[in-house]
Amino acid sequence: MRRISPLRLTILLALQLTGGFALTAHSAIADDSWPQFRGPTGQGISTARDLPITWSETDHIRWKTSIPVEGWSSPVVLEGKIWLTSATDEGRSLRAIGVDLASGKVTIDREVFRIEKPEHVNAKNSHASPTPIVEPGRVYVHFGTNGTACLDTQTGNTLWSTQEYRLEHKEGPGSSPVMFQNLLILNCDGMDVQFVAALDKQTGKLVWRTERPNLEEYKPDMRKAYATPLVIRHGERDQLVSPGAQRVIAYAPLTGQALWQVDFKGFSNVARPVFDGSQVYVNTGYGKSQLWAIRPDARGNATESHVNWKATKAITLNPSPLVVDGLIYMVDDKGIASCLDSATGDAIWTERLGGNFTSSPVFADGRIYVTGDNGKTYVLATGREFKVLAENTLDGRVQASPAVIDRAIIL
């Protein structure tokens, strides 16, 4: 039997069509910025153009860099630097990695936390799965119950850190942080405690903490969740749409006040919500996964009044959906791609790609890019007719969602 080495590497690649990077400096939401999980809007949408459609291990790769050991956090990019997290020494050393966008050179590799007894993680998870979030001068890294920190983007030095927000993940950390004005907001949904916390992003001090409604009627395993919340603006209200086990709750992001909630049956939620201006689309998680369309002009418990439709077939568990021009696109964990009408939830097409999927799809350059766990990326056409434009295979396993920067895909 061939011996499997305990050393596992993350490979970061820059895929590019032709020429060099054409970066536009100091642009807030532009082609050179991918500051959080799923990009500038948090919904997998890019304005980049002239992206590659085909590639391989020898074609259209600008550079390829190995990152020590393992982490499923997605890359984020700002001001010419890529950030991601990693874990070495079997999860004892939790690290922040900075990579030069133009060359692929690792410029910062810094241990942020040292954990004496790492918790168990699911085989499909890692000790470094939450995606960082970056703004000029600062990058925020999060390792779930093991801690949250803010680093200087030039030096990698820690500006503040906290390990105050403890919870029992069971399967390892998953939810990524989000920012709103001066706040860094965390979903904290364990088997033991469930709450949402907002920290002052300058100091790391707690600004507000809101406990989730009581879940004592459910077994501990059915109280946990791993979803990343989404900040939306609907009418005159900013809302933090925050899925957890058994319900989704919208909070006022500045205060933590609950605005509305919708109850469902589901737990271990992973997929991030998406919003098209009139409806927010929420995945109910494990159990019997469904996609619900909810009107966010609700108040109080809106389960009976503000759910427009529920889709029940080929619904993703881990990959987040896309909503583009009135259509919702999904690829579920077993490789079934589907397109729904966002107004009705009716299926327009459903096709099998094959393989397993964890990475969330990206819409860029008028196309959909979605990568399977086996390293194969499908490039799909948008619209009411299913069409595969290309299939591109790279060596290795891919579970992190890509970043799209100018004319390059960071995978």
Side-chain angles (χ1 to χ4, degrees):
M1 180 181 292
R2 183 171 64 92
R3 183 176 182 273
I4 305 298
S5 169
L7 180 64
R8 303 176 70 177
L9 295 179
T10 294
I11 305 296
L12 191 68
L13 301 102
L15 309 171
Q16 185 176 1
L17 187 59
T18 55
F21 289 96
L23 300 181
T24 304
H26 310 300
S27 184
I29 298 180
D31 297 346
D32 64 334
S33 169
W34 196 266
Q36 63 172 319
F37 177 56
R38 306 207 76 203
T41 68
Q43 302 191 75
I45 304 294
S46 170
T47 58
R49 295 289 182 267
D50 299 324
L51 294 172
I53 298 178
T54 61
W55 60 81
S56 69
E57 285 289 334
T58 58
D59 188 30
H60 291 159
I61 294 182
R62 171 66 182 260
W63 49 255
K64 181 175 181 177
T65 299
S66 62
I67 307 297
V69 195
E70 188 178 44
W72 297 129
S73 64
S74 298
V76 296
V77 190
L78 187 69
E79 298 177 334
K81 185 173 287 185
I82 302 167
W83 290 95
L84 61 158
T85 55
S86 186
T88 64
D89 194 14
E90 298 180 330
R92 293 178 181 84
S93 179
L94 303 179
R95 313 187 71 83
I97 311 292
V99 179
D100 181 72
L101 175 60
S103 67
K105 180 182 178 181
V106 175
T107 59
I108 292 175
D109 182 356
R110 187 66 57 90
E111 181 176 272
V112 184
F113 296 106
R114 185 79 187 178
I115 307 301
E116 186 174 324
K117 294 181 179 180
E119 66 174 353
H120 162 81
V121 294
N122 189 286
K124 201 172 184 178
N125 201 8
S126 76
H127 295 282
S129 291
T131 294
I133 190 165
V134 62
E135 64 179 353
R138 291 176 169 234
V139 59
Y140 305 87
V141 294
H142 180 59
F143 300 93
T145 191
N146 289 319
T148 307
C150 172
L151 278 61
D152 182 284
T153 55
Q154 295 301 312
T155 65
N157 293 336
T158 298
L159 301 177
W160 59 257
S161 67
T162 179
Q163 293 179 296
E164 183 177 347
Y165 306 102
R166 307 292 297 181
L167 64 151
E168 187 178 355
H169 294 296
K170 183 184 178 183
E171 311 293 359
S175 176
S176 300
V178 301
M179 280 196 299
F180 182 79
Q181 295 184 18
N182 68 315
L183 301 176
L184 185 74
I185 302 176
L186 311 173
N187 267 11
C188 301
D189 291 296
M191 295 200 301
D192 51 348
V193 293
Q194 305 85 36
F195 61 92
V196 181
L199 314 184
D200 184 318
K201 68 181 184 181
Q202 300 301 318
T203 65
K205 301 299 183 182
L206 182 69
V207 175
W208 59 257
R209 170 173 169 158
T210 300
E211 305 298 321
R212 302 280 203 186
N214 191 294
L215 293 174
E216 288 298 322
E217 64 183 285
Y218 298 97
K219 296 178 180 179
D221 190 58
M222 299 176 69
R223 302 173 193 168
K224 66 188 191 311
Y226 308 93
T228 300
L230 181 72
V231 176
I232 69 170
R233 185 166 182 83
H234 185 264
E236 298 301 315
R237 291 196 303 182
D238 294 310
Q239 304 182 32
L240 178 80
V241 180
S242 177
Q246 313 302 335
R247 58 181 61 92
V248 57
I249 304 174
Y251 300 95
L254 284 178
T255 66
Q257 178 188 2
L259 302 174
W260 57 262
Q261 77 176 54
V262 166
D263 302 328
F264 48 69
K265 295 295 183 183
F267 61 97
S268 292
N269 324 58
V270 176
R272 193 174 194 182
V274 291
F275 176 59
D276 63 4
S278 60
Q279 297 182 131
V280 60
Y281 306 93
V282 176
N283 184 287
T284 62
Y286 280 74
K288 177 61 176 176
S289 182
Q290 300 181 358
L291 186 72
W292 288 24
I294 303 169
R295 299 194 312 278
D297 59 343
R299 296 193 183 272
N301 194 312
T303 308
E304 300 299 326
S305 60
H306 281 70
V307 178
N308 285 347
W309 53 257
K310 305 172 185 178
T312 62
K313 295 182 179 179
I315 306 301
T316 174
L317 288 169
N318 287 288
S320 303
L322 279 172
V323 57
V324 179
D325 295 334
L327 299 176
I328 299 171
Y329 301 93
M330 293 181 291
V331 179
D332 77 1
D333 301 61
K334 296 182 179 180
I336 299 177
S338 60
C339 174
L340 309 182
D341 187 308
S342 65
T344 64
D346 293 338
I348 296 170
W349 50 256
T350 302
E351 301 287 344
R352 180 176 294 277
L353 299 179
N356 297 315
F357 286 76
T358 307
S359 171
S360 295
V362 169
F363 171 78
D365 207 2
R367 301 179 287 266
I368 296 168
Y369 293 79
V370 59
T371 303
D373 293 0
N374 61 2
K376 178 182 286 189
T377 298
Y378 292 86
V379 185
L380 308 178
T382 57
R384 293 178 171 264
E385 180 180 351
F386 174 75
K387 185 177 182 181
V388 178
L389 303 176
E391 299 180 18
N392 307 299
T393 300
L394 296 171
D395 295 341
R397 180 180 174 198
V398 177
Q399 290 186 205
S401 302
V404 179
I405 301 298
D406 192 51
R407 291 156 56 197
I409 300 169
I410 311 298
L411 191 62

